[in-house]
Amino acid sequence: MTEKIIGILGGMGPEATIDLFTKIVKGTKVKKDQDHLRILIDNNPKIPDRTLAIQGKGPSPLRQLIQSAKLLEKAGADFIVIPCVTAHYYYAPLQGKVKIPILNIVTETVHHIKKRLKGVDKIGLIATTGTIQTGLFQEALSSIGIDSILLDTPLQENWVMEAIYGEKGIKTIGPSETSRYLILEVSQRLLRQGAQAILAGCTEIPLVLKEGELPVPVIDPISLLAQAAIAMARGRKR
């Protein structure tokens, strides 16, 4: 069977794009270079900020998302993956503009939770304000009987968004001790609110929060998207 070519619609941000690429490479069982999957990447950090657009404070990213998706399609990608959760707010209109499938990071994540985290009915969500406002994860989790535990507004804005966008945030300087501290602290707060697992609902979060660092499971959508991409590229059942 001919392997499928993966297209990564990236740049939102570049660190998350690197993380997805790395996890696909490291997650692919090979014996030599030629066994690896072919991957096309459009690392386009010029795509407008998704959270600002959702809040009505900036231009829509949809036009440039479509441009990047069509570029990957024209270059030969058989399907597309997007290492940005908030961008999935535009999933339906984006999918409608290309002929190749786009894997949905929210769908892949919720499928994993339903299959692997039986008995969990409260999950703490760490995500951008834009993702939280769209309800992407809350609605998907609710559909499988799971409640989303959210932070209050001051913690969301002054801790989570600071860890992602701040002067020492992941999008600014990459993973740092400051961003790691902030995310670990809000994780502990969510645990005290009753969370039985923590969902890294922004693709920058797994860069500073790893499985094993908390007494509950840490759900990494980027790892799950990488696994789904490998399976699809190799024609395996997902």
Side-chain angles (χ1 to χ4, degrees):
M1 190 204 75
T2 303
E3 287 181 342
K4 292 183 172 64
I5 298 171
I6 302 170
I8 298 179
L9 201 173
M12 306 171 285
E15 291 272 4
T17 303
I18 293 168
D19 192 33
L20 176 60
F21 176 68
T22 300
K23 284 171 177 171
I24 292 173
V25 172
K26 291 186 178 296
T28 308
K29 293 181 180 180
V30 300
K31 294 181 179 179
K32 57 185 184 298
D33 282 349
Q34 290 73 22
D35 294 338
H36 277 286
L37 298 166
R38 188 171 178 192
I39 303 171
L40 305 175
I41 303 174
D42 182 14
N43 186 67
N44 183 5
K46 307 305 181 187
I47 296 172
D49 187 273
R50 284 64 58 199
T51 290
L52 290 179
I54 290 165
Q55 294 177 327
K57 298 176 182 177
S60 171
L62 183 57
R63 182 179 63 83
Q64 291 199 42
L65 286 169
I66 292 169
Q67 286 178 351
S68 283
K70 286 185 173 181
L71 183 66
L72 289 166
E73 182 178 39
K74 186 176 180 180
D78 293 302
F79 65 95
I80 290 171
V81 286
I82 307 173
C84 172
V85 174
T86 318
H88 284 71
Y89 176 69
Y90 304 94
Y91 176 85
L94 179 60
Q95 179 64 88
K97 293 295 184 178
V98 290
K99 296 176 183 177
I100 57 176
I102 302 172
L103 298 191
N104 189 309
I105 197 170
V106 176
T107 302
E108 299 296 337
T109 300
V110 172
H111 175 73
H112 166 83
I113 292 168
K114 183 178 180 180
K115 188 175 181 181
R116 301 291 183 187
L117 295 184
K118 298 186 184 300
V120 170
D121 55 20
K122 291 182 175 64
I123 290 181
L125 176 58
I126 305 177
T128 64
T129 301
T131 293
I132 289 172
Q133 288 181 349
T134 65
L136 284 169
F137 274 121
Q138 298 97 302
E139 292 173 12
L141 291 171
S142 179
S143 73
I144 58 170
I146 294 177
D147 292 331
S148 300
I149 307 297
L150 304 177
L151 297 161
D152 59 31
T153 300
L155 278 176
Q156 174 64 31
E157 293 302 323
N158 299 326
W159 291 63
V160 177
M161 293 300 277
E162 181 68 20
I164 299 169
Y165 285 92
E167 186 177 328
K168 295 184 178 179
I170 303 165
K171 285 184 179 292
T172 308
I173 63 170
S176 68
E177 284 303 312
T178 298
S179 55
R180 176 176 161 75
Y181 169 80
L182 291 171
I183 295 304
L184 283 172
E185 284 295 309
V186 297
S187 298
Q188 293 294 342
R189 188 68 63 95
L190 289 167
L191 295 184
R192 291 196 291 272
Q193 290 177 229
Q196 299 162 295
I198 298 296
L199 173 52
C202 166
T203 49
E204 269 81 19
I205 302 301
L207 297 167
V208 295
L209 180 65
K210 310 292 184 185
E211 178 66 47
E213 293 184 321
L214 298 173
V216 299
V218 174
I219 305 156
D220 175 4
I222 281 284
S223 289
L224 300 175
L225 187 62
Q227 293 167 25
I230 294 166
M232 188 162 185
R234 290 194 156 172
R236 296 201 306 265
K237 185 178 179 182
R238 295 176 19 247

